[in-house]
Amino acid sequence: MKKSVIYVLISTLMFSSMEIALKVAGSEFNPIQLNLLRFFIGGAVLLPFAFYELHKRRRKLNLDDWKAFAFTGFACVVISMTLYQLAIVYDKPAIVAVLFSCNPVFAVIFAYFILHERIGRANLISLIISVIGLIVIVNPFNLTNPVGIILSLLSAVTFGFYSILSQSCSVKRNLDGITITCFTFIAGSFELFVLSLITNIPAVASGMKTVGWLNQFAAIPILKDVNLQNFWILFFIGVCVTGGGFAFYFLAMQESGVSIASLVFFIKPGLAPILAMIFVGEKINLPTVVGIVIILIGSVVTFIGERYKETDATMLNDKTIEESK
């Protein structure tokens, strides 16, 4: 449990600063290009650790493994994170952070149907409380930017699906969280690279430019503005946020399951607006403060539920040992 708490804290800090960093970098890069770069860098950073884990398990990747990575990479990098990056373009970092943080709600639902995981009472109560907190922060009765909100929610739904796909892949393929995360990033960035190359074909680019909403996807640059001037922002986004943040998130999931790992996204809505206020001057209004408090209460409920679960498991184990003597 102690390991998982450390993993959650590190991942939370990285993820809570993600929207701010991506918003800043978005002024220098095309959003799809930035998505491609950060996941390629993140995957490259994790590669030595993934090889170490494979060596330790005496495991070699096969064609079926790469098929699984192609699927998880497409769900995560190409679909979910592209929607997420576009949401940051259209909305404020703090709002995107809050909306994206509801992905555990969808992850738990997908876990129930795909992994057949039981939804515990504490988890259910925590999810309900957290959703109420998210609704208070977003204030759906006073929507000013529906495009950004829709993109954020779609990103949250698809990321919740990806989280369960990744966990299922871990069980079926006998692979650890870092290995799956690493090769998911590499496969997804390669898929996004191919799609970017296709948009640079003159006939394709011309056709896309004639459609209003597709215009920004025409002739996606790949290495434009990748220079020493932008080194530190790419380093932070690729190495710290993408590589480190996702790796620690899935390590927490591997260590303690979906419910504990999901605490990252219950704490993030409280921390991300504070960081946005400090670093980019976004204001925190009263509904946001109220929502933060509600979400933190939901997190406490999850922790209490897990503590009781661990206590019951320990008592049951001790009783089994005593009876076997």
Side-chain angles (χ1 to χ4, degrees), residues 227-285:
N227 49 44
L228 290 176
Q229 184 179 349
N230 294 321
F231 172 79
W232 287 112
I233 188 65
L234 285 175
F235 177 84
F236 181 74
I237 291 171
V239 177
C240 301
V241 172
T242 307
F246 277 89
F248 283 111
Y249 170 73
F250 285 111
L251 282 172
M253 183 181 292
Q254 185 176 304
E255 186 78 18
S256 299
V258 174
S259 59
I260 289 298
S262 296
L263 285 176
V264 170
F265 298 103
F266 292 153
I267 301 171
K268 176 182 165 74
L271 184 58
I274 295 173
L275 294 177
M277 180 184 66
I278 295 172
F279 292 105
V280 295
E282 284 193 17
K283 296 181 179 180
I284 301 179
N285 54 30

Short mmCIF file of all heavy atoms in Angstrom, two decimals, residues 227-285:
data_model
loop_
_atom_site.label_atom_id
_atom_site.label_comp_id
_atom_site.label_asym_id
_atom_site.label_seq_id
_atom_site.Cartn_x
_atom_site.Cartn_y
_atom_site.Cartn_z
N ASN A 227 13.84 22.46 -31.42
CA ASN A 227 15.16 23.06 -31.34
C ASN A 227 15.55 23.27 -29.88
O ASN A 227 14.79 22.94 -28.96
CB ASN A 227 15.19 24.40 -32.10
CG ASN A 227 14.02 25.30 -31.71
OD1 ASN A 227 13.69 25.44 -30.54
ND2 ASN A 227 13.38 25.91 -32.72
N LEU A 228 16.74 23.82 -29.67
CA LEU A 228 17.25 24.02 -28.31
C LEU A 228 16.39 25.00 -27.52
O LEU A 228 16.27 24.89 -26.30
CB LEU A 228 18.70 24.53 -28.36
CG LEU A 228 19.75 23.51 -28.81
CD1 LEU A 228 21.12 24.17 -28.91
CD2 LEU A 228 19.81 22.33 -27.84
N GLN A 229 15.79 25.95 -28.21
CA GLN A 229 14.94 26.94 -27.54
C GLN A 229 13.74 26.27 -26.86
O GLN A 229 13.29 26.72 -25.78
CB GLN A 229 14.46 27.98 -28.55
CG GLN A 229 13.64 29.10 -27.93
CD GLN A 229 13.22 30.12 -28.96
OE1 GLN A 229 13.69 30.11 -30.10
NE2 GLN A 229 12.31 31.01 -28.57
N ASN A 230 13.23 25.22 -27.47
CA ASN A 230 12.07 24.52 -26.91
C ASN A 230 12.45 23.22 -26.18
O ASN A 230 11.57 22.41 -25.89
CB ASN A 230 11.08 24.19 -28.04
CG ASN A 230 10.48 25.43 -28.65
OD1 ASN A 230 10.16 26.39 -27.96
ND2 ASN A 230 10.33 25.44 -29.98
N PHE A 231 13.74 23.05 -25.90
CA PHE A 231 14.21 21.80 -25.31
C PHE A 231 13.55 21.51 -23.97
O PHE A 231 13.05 20.40 -23.72
CB PHE A 231 15.74 21.83 -25.13
CG PHE A 231 16.26 20.65 -24.35
CD1 PHE A 231 16.44 19.41 -24.96
CD2 PHE A 231 16.57 20.78 -23.00
CE1 PHE A 231 16.92 18.33 -24.24
CE2 PHE A 231 17.04 19.70 -22.27
CZ PHE A 231 17.22 18.47 -22.89
N TRP A 232 13.53 22.49 -23.06
CA TRP A 232 13.08 22.23 -21.69
C TRP A 232 11.59 21.94 -21.61
O TRP A 232 11.15 21.10 -20.83
CB TRP A 232 13.45 23.39 -20.77
CG TRP A 232 14.91 23.43 -20.47
CD1 TRP A 232 15.81 24.37 -20.87
CD2 TRP A 232 15.66 22.44 -19.74
NE1 TRP A 232 17.08 24.04 -20.43
CE2 TRP A 232 17.02 22.87 -19.73
CE3 TRP A 232 15.32 21.26 -19.10
CZ2 TRP A 232 18.02 22.13 -19.10
CZ3 TRP A 232 16.32 20.53 -18.47
CH2 TRP A 232 17.65 20.97 -18.47
N ILE A 233 10.80 22.61 -22.43
CA ILE A 233 9.36 22.34 -22.39
C ILE A 233 9.07 20.96 -22.94
O ILE A 233 8.23 20.21 -22.41
CB ILE A 233 8.56 23.43 -23.15
CG1 ILE A 233 7.04 23.25 -22.92
CG2 ILE A 233 8.87 23.43 -24.63
CD1 ILE A 233 6.62 23.46 -21.49
N LEU A 234 9.80 20.54 -24.00
CA LEU A 234 9.64 19.19 -24.55
C LEU A 234 10.14 18.15 -23.56
O LEU A 234 9.57 17.06 -23.44
CB LEU A 234 10.38 19.06 -25.88
CG LEU A 234 9.73 19.72 -27.09
CD1 LEU A 234 10.64 19.60 -28.31
CD2 LEU A 234 8.37 19.11 -27.39
N PHE A 235 11.22 18.48 -22.85
CA PHE A 235 11.78 17.56 -21.85
C PHE A 235 10.77 17.33 -20.73
O PHE A 235 10.51 16.19 -20.32
CB PHE A 235 13.07 18.14 -21.26
CG PHE A 235 13.66 17.29 -20.16
CD1 PHE A 235 14.49 16.22 -20.46
CD2 PHE A 235 13.38 17.57 -18.83
CE1 PHE A 235 15.03 15.43 -19.45
CE2 PHE A 235 13.91 16.79 -17.81
CZ PHE A 235 14.74 15.71 -18.12
N PHE A 236 10.18 18.41 -20.24
CA PHE A 236 9.23 18.29 -19.14
C PHE A 236 7.99 17.51 -19.58
O PHE A 236 7.52 16.60 -18.88
CB PHE A 236 8.83 19.67 -18.62
CG PHE A 236 7.86 19.61 -17.46
CD1 PHE A 236 8.30 19.24 -16.20
CD2 PHE A 236 6.52 19.92 -17.63
CE1 PHE A 236 7.40 19.16 -15.13
CE2 PHE A 236 5.62 19.86 -16.58
CZ PHE A 236 6.08 19.48 -15.32
N ILE A 237 7.46 17.85 -20.76
CA ILE A 237 6.25 17.20 -21.24
C ILE A 237 6.50 15.74 -21.59
O ILE A 237 5.72 14.85 -21.24
CB ILE A 237 5.69 17.94 -22.47
CG1 ILE A 237 5.14 19.31 -22.06
CG2 ILE A 237 4.59 17.13 -23.15
CD1 ILE A 237 4.76 20.19 -23.22
N GLY A 238 7.62 15.46 -22.28
CA GLY A 238 7.91 14.11 -22.72
C GLY A 238 8.43 13.19 -21.64
O GLY A 238 7.92 12.08 -21.44
N VAL A 239 9.43 13.67 -20.89
CA VAL A 239 10.10 12.83 -19.89
C VAL A 239 9.34 12.79 -18.58
O VAL A 239 9.02 11.71 -18.05
CB VAL A 239 11.55 13.32 -19.65
CG1 VAL A 239 12.22 12.48 -18.56
CG2 VAL A 239 12.36 13.24 -20.93
N CYS A 240 9.04 13.95 -18.03
CA CYS A 240 8.42 14.01 -16.69
C CYS A 240 6.93 13.69 -16.71
O CYS A 240 6.47 12.76 -16.03
CB CYS A 240 8.64 15.39 -16.07
SG CYS A 240 10.39 15.84 -15.90
N VAL A 241 6.18 14.45 -17.50
CA VAL A 241 4.72 14.31 -17.49
C VAL A 241 4.26 13.03 -18.18
O VAL A 241 3.55 12.21 -17.59
CB VAL A 241 4.06 15.53 -18.15
CG1 VAL A 241 2.57 15.30 -18.31
CG2 VAL A 241 4.30 16.79 -17.32
N THR A 242 4.71 12.84 -19.43
CA THR A 242 4.22 11.70 -20.21
C THR A 242 4.85 10.39 -19.76
O THR A 242 4.15 9.44 -19.41
CB THR A 242 4.46 11.92 -21.71
OG1 THR A 242 3.90 13.19 -22.08
CG2 THR A 242 3.82 10.83 -22.53
N GLY A 243 6.18 10.32 -19.77
CA GLY A 243 6.85 9.09 -19.36
C GLY A 243 6.62 8.76 -17.90
O GLY A 243 6.10 7.69 -17.54
N GLY A 244 6.97 9.70 -17.02
CA GLY A 244 6.85 9.46 -15.58
C GLY A 244 5.43 9.38 -15.08
O GLY A 244 5.07 8.47 -14.34
N GLY A 245 4.59 10.33 -15.50
CA GLY A 245 3.22 10.38 -15.01
C GLY A 245 2.43 9.12 -15.32
O GLY A 245 1.82 8.52 -14.43
N PHE A 246 2.46 8.68 -16.56
CA PHE A 246 1.71 7.49 -16.95
C PHE A 246 2.30 6.22 -16.34
O PHE A 246 1.57 5.32 -15.94
CB PHE A 246 1.67 7.37 -18.48
CG PHE A 246 0.60 8.19 -19.12
CD1 PHE A 246 0.84 9.50 -19.50
CD2 PHE A 246 -0.65 7.66 -19.34
CE1 PHE A 246 -0.15 10.26 -20.11
CE2 PHE A 246 -1.65 8.41 -19.94
CZ PHE A 246 -1.40 9.71 -20.33
N ALA A 247 3.62 6.15 -16.28
CA ALA A 247 4.26 4.95 -15.72
C ALA A 247 3.87 4.76 -14.26
O ALA A 247 3.49 3.66 -13.85
CB ALA A 247 5.78 5.05 -15.85
N PHE A 248 3.93 5.82 -13.47
CA PHE A 248 3.59 5.71 -12.05
C PHE A 248 2.10 5.44 -11.86
O PHE A 248 1.70 4.77 -10.91
CB PHE A 248 4.02 6.97 -11.29
CG PHE A 248 5.48 7.02 -11.02
CD1 PHE A 248 6.30 7.94 -11.65
CD2 PHE A 248 6.07 6.14 -10.12
CE1 PHE A 248 7.67 7.98 -11.40
CE2 PHE A 248 7.43 6.16 -9.85
CZ PHE A 248 8.24 7.09 -10.51
N TYR A 249 1.27 5.97 -12.77
CA TYR A 249 -0.16 5.70 -12.70
C TYR A 249 -0.44 4.21 -12.86
O TYR A 249 -1.18 3.60 -12.08
CB TYR A 249 -0.90 6.51 -13.78
CG TYR A 249 -2.35 6.12 -13.94
CD1 TYR A 249 -3.30 6.48 -12.98
CD2 TYR A 249 -2.77 5.40 -15.05
CE1 TYR A 249 -4.63 6.11 -13.13
CE2 TYR A 249 -4.10 5.04 -15.21
CZ TYR A 249 -5.02 5.40 -14.25
OH TYR A 249 -6.33 5.04 -14.41
N PHE A 250 0.17 3.59 -13.86
CA PHE A 250 -0.08 2.18 -14.10
C PHE A 250 0.64 1.28 -13.09
O PHE A 250 0.18 0.17 -12.81
CB PHE A 250 0.29 1.80 -15.53
CG PHE A 250 -0.71 2.28 -16.52
CD1 PHE A 250 -0.40 3.29 -17.42
CD2 PHE A 250 -2.00 1.76 -16.55
CE1 PHE A 250 -1.34 3.76 -18.32
CE2 PHE A 250 -2.94 2.22 -17.45
CZ PHE A 250 -2.61 3.22 -18.34
N LEU A 251 1.74 1.76 -12.52
CA LEU A 251 2.37 1.01 -11.43
C LEU A 251 1.44 0.98 -10.21
O LEU A 251 1.34 -0.04 -9.53
CB LEU A 251 3.71 1.65 -11.05
CG LEU A 251 4.89 1.36 -11.98
CD1 LEU A 251 6.10 2.22 -11.60
CD2 LEU A 251 5.26 -0.12 -11.95
N ALA A 252 0.77 2.11 -9.96
CA ALA A 252 -0.19 2.16 -8.85
C ALA A 252 -1.36 1.23 -9.13
O ALA A 252 -1.84 0.52 -8.24
CB ALA A 252 -0.69 3.60 -8.66
N MET A 253 -1.83 1.19 -10.38
CA MET A 253 -2.92 0.30 -10.75
C MET A 253 -2.50 -1.16 -10.59
O MET A 253 -3.27 -1.99 -10.09
CB MET A 253 -3.35 0.56 -12.20
CG MET A 253 -4.53 -0.28 -12.65
SD MET A 253 -4.99 0.02 -14.37
CE MET A 253 -5.62 1.69 -14.28
N GLN A 254 -1.27 -1.45 -11.01
CA GLN A 254 -0.75 -2.81 -10.90
C GLN A 254 -0.57 -3.23 -9.44
O GLN A 254 -0.81 -4.38 -9.07
CB GLN A 254 0.60 -2.89 -11.62
CG GLN A 254 1.21 -4.27 -11.69
CD GLN A 254 2.49 -4.26 -12.52
OE1 GLN A 254 2.50 -3.85 -13.67
NE2 GLN A 254 3.58 -4.68 -11.91
N GLU A 255 -0.19 -2.26 -8.60
CA GLU A 255 0.08 -2.55 -7.19
C GLU A 255 -1.20 -2.71 -6.38
O GLU A 255 -1.32 -3.60 -5.53
CB GLU A 255 0.91 -1.40 -6.58
CG GLU A 255 1.38 -1.63 -5.17
CD GLU A 255 2.58 -2.55 -5.08
OE1 GLU A 255 3.26 -2.76 -6.10
OE2 GLU A 255 2.82 -3.09 -3.98
N SER A 256 -2.22 -1.84 -6.65
CA SER A 256 -3.40 -1.82 -5.79
C SER A 256 -4.73 -1.81 -6.53
O SER A 256 -5.77 -1.68 -5.90
CB SER A 256 -3.34 -0.60 -4.85
OG SER A 256 -2.21 -0.67 -4.02
N GLY A 257 -4.72 -1.89 -7.86
CA GLY A 257 -5.97 -1.95 -8.60
C GLY A 257 -6.45 -0.60 -9.08
O GLY A 257 -5.85 0.44 -8.82
N VAL A 258 -7.59 -0.63 -9.79
CA VAL A 258 -8.13 0.57 -10.42
C VAL A 258 -8.53 1.64 -9.41
O VAL A 258 -8.28 2.82 -9.60
CB VAL A 258 -9.36 0.20 -11.28
CG1 VAL A 258 -10.03 1.45 -11.84
CG2 VAL A 258 -8.95 -0.71 -12.43
N SER A 259 -9.13 1.23 -8.29
CA SER A 259 -9.67 2.21 -7.35
C SER A 259 -8.60 3.11 -6.75
O SER A 259 -8.78 4.33 -6.66
CB SER A 259 -10.43 1.49 -6.22
OG SER A 259 -9.58 0.60 -5.53
N ILE A 260 -7.47 2.53 -6.33
CA ILE A 260 -6.40 3.34 -5.75
C ILE A 260 -5.72 4.19 -6.80
O ILE A 260 -5.45 5.38 -6.60
CB ILE A 260 -5.37 2.44 -5.03
CG1 ILE A 260 -5.97 1.86 -3.75
CG2 ILE A 260 -4.11 3.23 -4.68
CD1 ILE A 260 -6.37 2.87 -2.71
N ALA A 261 -5.42 3.60 -7.97
CA ALA A 261 -4.79 4.37 -9.05
C ALA A 261 -5.67 5.54 -9.47
O ALA A 261 -5.17 6.62 -9.81
CB ALA A 261 -4.51 3.46 -10.24
N SER A 262 -6.98 5.35 -9.42
CA SER A 262 -7.92 6.39 -9.83
C SER A 262 -7.91 7.60 -8.90
O SER A 262 -8.42 8.66 -9.26
CB SER A 262 -9.34 5.81 -9.90
OG SER A 262 -9.42 4.82 -10.89
N LEU A 263 -7.32 7.45 -7.72
CA LEU A 263 -7.21 8.60 -6.81
C LEU A 263 -6.42 9.74 -7.45
O LEU A 263 -6.60 10.90 -7.10
CB LEU A 263 -6.53 8.17 -5.50
CG LEU A 263 -7.39 7.35 -4.54
CD1 LEU A 263 -6.57 6.91 -3.35
CD2 LEU A 263 -8.60 8.15 -4.08
N VAL A 264 -5.53 9.38 -8.39
CA VAL A 264 -4.79 10.41 -9.13
C VAL A 264 -5.76 11.41 -9.73
O VAL A 264 -5.56 12.63 -9.65
CB VAL A 264 -3.95 9.76 -10.25
CG1 VAL A 264 -3.38 10.83 -11.19
CG2 VAL A 264 -2.84 8.91 -9.67
N PHE A 265 -6.85 10.91 -10.30
CA PHE A 265 -7.79 11.78 -10.99
C PHE A 265 -8.86 12.35 -10.06
O PHE A 265 -9.68 13.17 -10.48
CB PHE A 265 -8.44 11.00 -12.15
CG PHE A 265 -7.43 10.56 -13.17
CD1 PHE A 265 -6.99 9.25 -13.22
CD2 PHE A 265 -6.90 11.47 -14.05
CE1 PHE A 265 -6.06 8.84 -14.15
CE2 PHE A 265 -5.95 11.08 -14.99
CZ PHE A 265 -5.53 9.76 -15.04
N PHE A 266 -8.88 11.91 -8.81
CA PHE A 266 -9.74 12.53 -7.82
C PHE A 266 -9.03 13.71 -7.15
O PHE A 266 -9.66 14.69 -6.76
CB PHE A 266 -10.18 11.51 -6.76
CG PHE A 266 -11.10 10.44 -7.28
CD1 PHE A 266 -11.14 9.20 -6.68
CD2 PHE A 266 -11.91 10.67 -8.38
CE1 PHE A 266 -11.99 8.21 -7.15
CE2 PHE A 266 -12.76 9.70 -8.85
CZ PHE A 266 -12.80 8.45 -8.24
N ILE A 267 -7.72 13.59 -6.99
CA ILE A 267 -6.93 14.67 -6.39
C ILE A 267 -6.59 15.74 -7.41
O ILE A 267 -6.57 16.94 -7.11
CB ILE A 267 -5.64 14.11 -5.75
CG1 ILE A 267 -5.99 13.08 -4.67
CG2 ILE A 267 -4.80 15.23 -5.14
CD1 ILE A 267 -4.79 12.33 -4.14
N LYS A 268 -6.34 15.32 -8.64
CA LYS A 268 -5.95 16.22 -9.73
C LYS A 268 -6.89 17.42 -9.90
O LYS A 268 -6.42 18.54 -10.09
CB LYS A 268 -5.84 15.42 -11.03
CG LYS A 268 -5.53 16.23 -12.29
CD LYS A 268 -5.51 15.29 -13.49
CE LYS A 268 -5.57 16.05 -14.79
NZ LYS A 268 -4.30 16.71 -15.12
N PRO A 269 -8.23 17.25 -9.84
CA PRO A 269 -9.11 18.41 -10.00
C PRO A 269 -8.91 19.46 -8.92
O PRO A 269 -9.22 20.64 -9.13
CB PRO A 269 -10.52 17.81 -9.91
CG PRO A 269 -10.34 16.39 -10.27
CD PRO A 269 -9.02 16.00 -9.72
N GLY A 270 -8.45 19.05 -7.75
CA GLY A 270 -8.18 20.01 -6.69
C GLY A 270 -6.84 20.69 -6.87
O GLY A 270 -6.70 21.89 -6.63
N LEU A 271 -5.85 19.92 -7.30
CA LEU A 271 -4.49 20.46 -7.41
C LEU A 271 -4.26 21.24 -8.70
O LEU A 271 -3.61 22.28 -8.70
CB LEU A 271 -3.48 19.30 -7.32
CG LEU A 271 -2.00 19.67 -7.32
CD1 LEU A 271 -1.67 20.62 -6.18
CD2 LEU A 271 -1.15 18.40 -7.22
N ALA A 272 -4.80 20.76 -9.81
CA ALA A 272 -4.57 21.40 -11.12
C ALA A 272 -5.04 22.87 -11.16
O ALA A 272 -4.29 23.72 -11.66
CB ALA A 272 -5.24 20.60 -12.23
N PRO A 273 -6.25 23.21 -10.65
CA PRO A 273 -6.64 24.62 -10.66
C PRO A 273 -5.72 25.50 -9.82
O PRO A 273 -5.49 26.66 -10.16
CB PRO A 273 -8.06 24.59 -10.06
CG PRO A 273 -8.56 23.23 -10.36
CD PRO A 273 -7.37 22.34 -10.22
N ILE A 274 -5.21 24.95 -8.73
CA ILE A 274 -4.28 25.72 -7.88
C ILE A 274 -2.99 26.00 -8.64
O ILE A 274 -2.47 27.13 -8.63
CB ILE A 274 -3.98 24.95 -6.57
CG1 ILE A 274 -5.26 24.85 -5.73
CG2 ILE A 274 -2.88 25.65 -5.78
CD1 ILE A 274 -5.11 23.97 -4.51
N LEU A 275 -2.46 24.98 -9.32
CA LEU A 275 -1.25 25.16 -10.12
C LEU A 275 -1.50 26.13 -11.28
O LEU A 275 -0.64 26.94 -11.61
CB LEU A 275 -0.76 23.81 -10.65
CG LEU A 275 -0.28 22.80 -9.62
CD1 LEU A 275 0.11 21.49 -10.29
CD2 LEU A 275 0.92 23.35 -8.83
N ALA A 276 -2.69 26.04 -11.88
CA ALA A 276 -3.04 26.95 -12.97
C ALA A 276 -3.12 28.39 -12.48
O ALA A 276 -2.71 29.33 -13.17
CB ALA A 276 -4.38 26.54 -13.60
N MET A 277 -3.61 28.58 -11.26
CA MET A 277 -3.69 29.92 -10.67
C MET A 277 -2.29 30.47 -10.43
O MET A 277 -1.99 31.64 -10.69
CB MET A 277 -4.47 29.87 -9.36
CG MET A 277 -4.60 31.21 -8.66
SD MET A 277 -5.42 31.10 -7.05
CE MET A 277 -4.23 30.14 -6.10
N ILE A 278 -1.39 29.61 -9.94
CA ILE A 278 -0.02 30.04 -9.61
C ILE A 278 0.79 30.35 -10.86
O ILE A 278 1.47 31.38 -10.94
CB ILE A 278 0.69 28.96 -8.76
CG1 ILE A 278 0.00 28.82 -7.41
CG2 ILE A 278 2.17 29.31 -8.57
CD1 ILE A 278 0.51 27.64 -6.58
N PHE A 279 0.72 29.46 -11.86
CA PHE A 279 1.63 29.57 -12.99
C PHE A 279 1.08 30.32 -14.20
O PHE A 279 1.84 30.91 -14.97
CB PHE A 279 2.09 28.17 -13.43
CG PHE A 279 2.97 27.49 -12.42
CD1 PHE A 279 2.47 26.47 -11.61
CD2 PHE A 279 4.28 27.89 -12.26
CE1 PHE A 279 3.28 25.85 -10.68
CE2 PHE A 279 5.11 27.27 -11.33
CZ PHE A 279 4.61 26.25 -10.53
N VAL A 280 -0.24 30.27 -14.43
CA VAL A 280 -0.79 30.98 -15.59
C VAL A 280 -1.86 31.99 -15.21
O VAL A 280 -2.52 32.56 -16.08
CB VAL A 280 -1.34 29.99 -16.65
CG1 VAL A 280 -0.23 29.16 -17.23
CG2 VAL A 280 -2.43 29.11 -16.07
N GLY A 281 -2.05 32.21 -13.92
CA GLY A 281 -2.95 33.27 -13.46
C GLY A 281 -4.43 33.01 -13.60
O GLY A 281 -5.23 33.95 -13.60
N GLU A 282 -4.84 31.74 -13.71
CA GLU A 282 -6.28 31.43 -13.79
C GLU A 282 -6.93 31.62 -12.42
O GLU A 282 -6.37 31.23 -11.40
CB GLU A 282 -6.49 29.99 -14.27
CG GLU A 282 -6.27 29.80 -15.74
CD GLU A 282 -6.78 28.47 -16.23
OE1 GLU A 282 -7.58 27.83 -15.52
OE2 GLU A 282 -6.37 28.05 -17.33
N LYS A 283 -8.12 32.20 -12.42
CA LYS A 283 -8.81 32.46 -11.16
C LYS A 283 -9.57 31.22 -10.69
O LYS A 283 -10.13 30.47 -11.49
CB LYS A 283 -9.78 33.63 -11.32
CG LYS A 283 -9.09 34.96 -11.62
CD LYS A 283 -10.11 36.08 -11.75
CE LYS A 283 -9.40 37.41 -12.03
NZ LYS A 283 -10.39 38.53 -12.18
N ILE A 284 -9.60 31.03 -9.37
CA ILE A 284 -10.38 29.94 -8.77
C ILE A 284 -11.61 30.55 -8.13
O ILE A 284 -11.52 31.28 -7.15
CB ILE A 284 -9.56 29.17 -7.71
CG1 ILE A 284 -8.30 28.58 -8.35
CG2 ILE A 284 -10.39 28.06 -7.09
CD1 ILE A 284 -7.42 27.83 -7.38
N ASN A 285 -12.80 30.24 -8.68
CA ASN A 285 -14.02 30.81 -8.13
C ASN A 285 -14.59 29.92 -7.03
O ASN A 285 -14.07 28.83 -6.76
CB ASN A 285 -15.06 31.04 -9.25
CG ASN A 285 -15.32 29.77 -10.05
OD1 ASN A 285 -15.21 28.66 -9.52
ND2 ASN A 285 -15.68 29.94 -11.31
#
